[in-house]
Each structure stands twice: as C-alpha cells, then as structure tokens.
Amino acid sequence: MGALWEILQTGMMYGQYKKSGTVEERVEFLEKKLLATQDTLQKLVKKIEQMHGIDIDGDGRIG
C-alpha cells in the first residue's frame, strides 16, 4: 500500500507545483518525479514477483 500512497502523493504535489515556477523548474521537477515513480514501480514489481513466484517483467528472474 505504501507504493500506491507514494504515487498518489506525487500527483497531489505536482498539482500544487504546476501553479508556480518557470517551465524549466517544472520540467526538472517532473523529471525527478518520473525517476522516483519508475523506482517505485520497479520495487513494486519485484515485491509482487517474490510474493507470487512469477516473472512479471520478463527479465528471466523472480524478484
């Protein structure tokens, strides 16, 4: 549940942030959040693979 909450919070933070700052600042913010979201999704896939014993992402490994 923590991963999903993090994604929700990221969306809420962006909603506030997009109201201020320059385009460059917003792009930098979005790039950082994209990396954080990708990291969260990778951790989530790894955990699901471990819990269910299946290879979800097709890398030939479980976990």
Side-chain angles (χ1 to χ4, degrees), residues 7-50:
I7 293 169
L8 177 64
Q9 286 180 320
T10 298
M12 292 172 23
M13 286 182 355
Y14 176 67
Q16 292 298 318
Y17 186 80
K18 71 179 181 179
K19 296 177 183 174
S20 63
T22 65
V23 171
E24 290 82 9
E25 290 172 333
R26 292 188 303 224
V27 168
E28 182 180 346
F29 175 81
L30 287 173
E31 287 173 341
K32 288 179 183 178
K33 289 301 165 187
L34 174 61
L35 290 174
T37 301
Q38 289 173 331
D39 183 55
T40 300
L41 289 173
Q42 288 173 349
K43 289 176 183 175
L44 182 60
V45 167
K46 182 177 180 177
K47 188 66 173 177
I48 291 171
E49 286 184 345
Q50 291 170 347

